């Protein structure tokens, strides 16, 4: 499979080889007419006209130009055989044509085509070992240069593909490490919330014991050594985010147990929502609630600041769409953002059903 660099190289060769051949042969033929004896000028001019017509085919593409290019060499060689003149005109047109064909066609095409041109040249102008050697050497060099350049483009494509794969792997590793850090931070916040309940006192000892037992199971993976599904108190995790926010937050946070991935998505969405309030709402207060709803949870973030047109937010701004809506949707939840003159409400919901 060709890579983009190789494709670009082949496209450039196909685009420019024909025009280079056409312009080169036209210039050689213009000077070649000057070497023709006076009696053969009209024939030479007729051949020059044929050459100029063939230039149009050279600009049209390799498939269109192939046959006219061969006919043009035959015409120049035949004209030399009839009117004489410099042998270099016919030889130069032959070599220019044969060399440029090496860039457009495979060896299966160019080898017989070049052999045919040599036969035509030898029959009309005369056989010359030097001329044959020149054509063979120049064609071999042209083919070798083309092959080397094409192999170089393939190596570049291979290097670029390996680098892209390495960058993707590194990005995946960085994202995995980031998620691990966030997950550990969430576990830390959950356990810290339990310690806070113990520190301030006033809580039911049985309830505190339940919190501690649940945190221990979450940290260890299971209580008995057998794998089991872990859960996180999303209310406690959101409380840790609220307490770290520079806003004055009125919080109503109930205990709701959800899978860790769901808790992580909700916590990150709440954090992003509070950051948006801080940056854009123009107020220093917000309200956050966490409530059990059916078999799931509902998290609401409200502010009374200046609203915005949700539909008018650019897709390039990923704060709401990427950090809130898509993040919650990725764990099977849903997010709704409603904003107007009286403020903004972000409603996050997740259900086990």
């Amino acid at each position: 499979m060709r890579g983009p660099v190789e494709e670009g190289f082949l496209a450039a060769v196909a685009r420019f080889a024909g025009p280079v051949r056409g312009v080169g042969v036209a210039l050689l033929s213009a000077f070649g007419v000057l070497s023709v004896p006076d009696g053969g000028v009209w024939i030479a001019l007729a051949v020059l006209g044929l050459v100029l017509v063939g230039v149009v085919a050279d600009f049209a593409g390799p498939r269109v130009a192939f046959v006219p290019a061969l006919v043009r060499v035959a015409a120049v060689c035949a004209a030399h055989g009839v009117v004489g003149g410099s042998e270099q005109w016919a030889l130069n047109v032959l070599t220019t044509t044969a060399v440029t064909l090496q860039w457009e066609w495979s060896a299966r095409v160019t080898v017989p085509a070049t052999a045919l041109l040599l036969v035509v040249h030898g029959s009309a102008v005369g056989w010359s070992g030097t001329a044959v050697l020149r054509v063979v050497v120049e064609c071999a060099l042209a083919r070798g240069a083309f092959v080397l350049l094409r192999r170089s483009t393939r190596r570049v494509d291979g290097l670029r593909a390996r680098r892209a794969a390495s960058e993707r792997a590194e990005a995946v590793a960085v994202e995995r490490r980031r998620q691990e850090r966030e997950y550990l931070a969430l576990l830390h916040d959950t356990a810290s919330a339990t310690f806070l309940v113990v520190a301030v006192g006033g809580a039911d000892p049985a309830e505190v014991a339940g919190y501690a037992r649940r945190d221990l199971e979450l940290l260890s993976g299971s209580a008995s050594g057998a794998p089991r599904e872990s859960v996180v108190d999303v209310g406690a995790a959101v409380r840790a985010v609220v307490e770290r926010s520079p806003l004055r937050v009125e919080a109503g946070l109930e205990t709701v147990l959800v899978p860790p991935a769901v808790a992580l998505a909700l916590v990150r969405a709440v954090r992003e929502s509070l950051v948006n309030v801080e940056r854009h709402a123009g107020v220093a207060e917000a309200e956050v609630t966490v409530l059990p709803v059916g078999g799931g949870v509902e998290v609401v973030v409200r502010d009374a600041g200046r609203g915005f047109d949700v539909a008018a937010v650019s897709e390039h701004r990923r704060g709401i769409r990427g950090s809130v809506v898509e993040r919650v949707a990725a764990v099977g939840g849903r997010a709704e953002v409603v904003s107007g003159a009286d403020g903004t409400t972000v409603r996050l919901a997740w259900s086990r059903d």
Side-chain angles (χ1 to χ4, degrees), residues 201-286:
D204 182 6
E207 183 179 5
V208 173
Y211 288 158
R213 184 166 52 253
R214 186 172 57 250
D215 294 342
L216 179 60
E217 291 180 0
L218 179 61
L219 290 169
S220 62
S222 69
S224 61
R228 59 181 297 180
E229 182 182 2
S230 300
V231 291
V232 174
D233 181 359
V234 68
V238 170
R239 180 180 295 108
V241 173
V242 167
E243 291 173 350
R244 295 175 183 175
S245 174
L247 300 171
R248 293 190 300 275
V249 180
E250 180 181 349
L253 310 174
E254 297 190 19
T255 299
V256 185
L257 303 181
V258 298
V262 176
L264 180 59
L266 294 174
V267 167
R268 292 169 67 182
V270 170
R271 183 186 297 122
E272 181 66 25
S273 300
L274 292 176
V275 169
N276 287 338
V277 174
E278 179 187 353
R279 292 178 178 175
H280 308 297
V283 295
E285 303 87 13

Side-chain angles (χ1 to χ4, degrees), residues 121 157 159:
H121 180 271
D157 282 324
L159 291 173

